[in-house]
């Protein structure tokens, strides 16, 4: 189980209490978690995902989802490391409710995730941000990510 503390947030491994929340987030019509998949997930799909996240390491699943929570325990969103290969991974972040955005939660979660990525030996993190998503572009640039090409940003952890 991963538990990481930041100034504003706690990042923790997903667990079975998150299944219904993740199902809602994954199937949200107005703002899908990744913004590109139109697939609808069943509760069983999400439960299997959570079980795999609990049972297997990032090296085995090639991904890690961490819940972003307030210090009071409110689920604010999630941050994912995907396409992990031992040296690099993609990072994506979501703060679900608009009223929780622009309050520093994503910035703190990203900082904590970057430190975690360094601690597990990653050398590079990538992010893909749509050009119209100016707040996310600013977030990643403030964290030291550099625009590589198109909508791809890179951060060297060396």
């Amino acid at each position: 189980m991963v538990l990481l503390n930041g100034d504003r947030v706690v990042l923790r491994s997903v667990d079975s209490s998150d299944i219904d929340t993740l199902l809602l987030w994954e199937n949200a019509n107005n703002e899908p978690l990744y913004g590109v998949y139109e697939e609808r997930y069943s509760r069983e799909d999400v439960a299997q995902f959570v079980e795999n996240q609990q049972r297997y390491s990032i090296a085995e699943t090639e991904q890690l989802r961490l819940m972003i929570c307030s210090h009071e325990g409110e689920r604010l969103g999630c941050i994912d490391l995907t396409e992990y290969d031992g040296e690099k991974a993609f990072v994506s972040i979501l703060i679900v409710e608009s009223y929780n955005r622009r309050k520093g939660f994503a910035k703190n979660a990203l900082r904590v995730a970057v430190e975690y990525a360094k601690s597990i030996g990653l050398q590079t993190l990538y992010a893909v941000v749509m050009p119209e998503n100016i707040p996310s572009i600013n977030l990643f640039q403030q964290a030291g990510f550099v625009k590589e090409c198109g909508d791809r940003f890179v951060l060297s952890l060396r």
Side-chain angles (χ1 to χ4, degrees):
M1 172 156 188
V2 178
L3 181 65
L4 306 167
N5 286 300
D7 298 334
R8 311 247 10 227
V9 297
V10 173
L11 303 185
R12 66 163 175 79
S13 300
V14 295
D15 63 37
S16 59
S17 72
D18 299 315
I19 292 171
D20 291 327
T21 299
L22 290 171
L23 180 64
L24 180 67
W25 292 351
E26 290 285 358
N27 290 332
N29 289 328
N30 60 337
E31 196 165 340
L33 191 54
Y34 294 107
V36 293
Y37 300 114
E38 294 183 19
E39 186 175 342
R40 303 287 293 175
Y41 294 94
S42 69
R43 191 171 196 288
E44 292 75 28
D45 293 333
V46 175
Q48 185 63 55
F49 171 80
V50 169
E51 182 179 330
N52 288 343
Q53 288 286 288
Q54 291 176 324
R55 180 177 293 177
Y56 302 108
S57 71
I58 187 173
E60 294 168 301
T61 62
E62 299 178 354
Q63 68 181 47
L64 174 66
R65 174 167 294 168
L66 298 170
M67 298 299 288
I68 303 169
C69 299
S70 69
H71 286 286
E72 296 76 34
E74 177 188 0
R75 294 176 186 101
L76 303 170
C78 56
I79 191 162
D80 291 354
L81 298 177
T82 59
E83 298 184 32
Y84 169 90
D85 71 3
E87 292 185 12
K88 64 185 179 308
F90 275 86
V91 61
S92 57
I93 188 166
L94 172 70
I95 300 296
V96 176
E97 300 295 343
S98 60
Y99 59 81
N100 281 325
R101 296 179 188 153
R102 297 181 185 236
K103 293 184 176 181
F105 297 129
K107 184 176 185 177
N108 190 227
L110 184 57
R111 183 187 58 75
V112 172
V114 166
E115 290 305 313
Y116 176 73
K118 288 179 186 177
S119 78
I120 61 172
L122 288 175
Q123 297 175 22
T124 309
L125 286 175
Y126 295 95
V128 174
V129 183
M130 302 309 287
E132 64 274 7
N133 191 344
I134 302 303
S136 288
I137 290 171
N138 291 337
L139 170 71
F140 283 101
Q141 287 179 329
Q142 288 173 7
F145 285 71
V146 176
K147 188 171 185 174
E148 188 176 62
C149 64
D151 55 3
R152 186 172 160 138
F153 293 79
V154 62
L155 176 66
S156 174
L157 302 176
R158 297 179 225 183

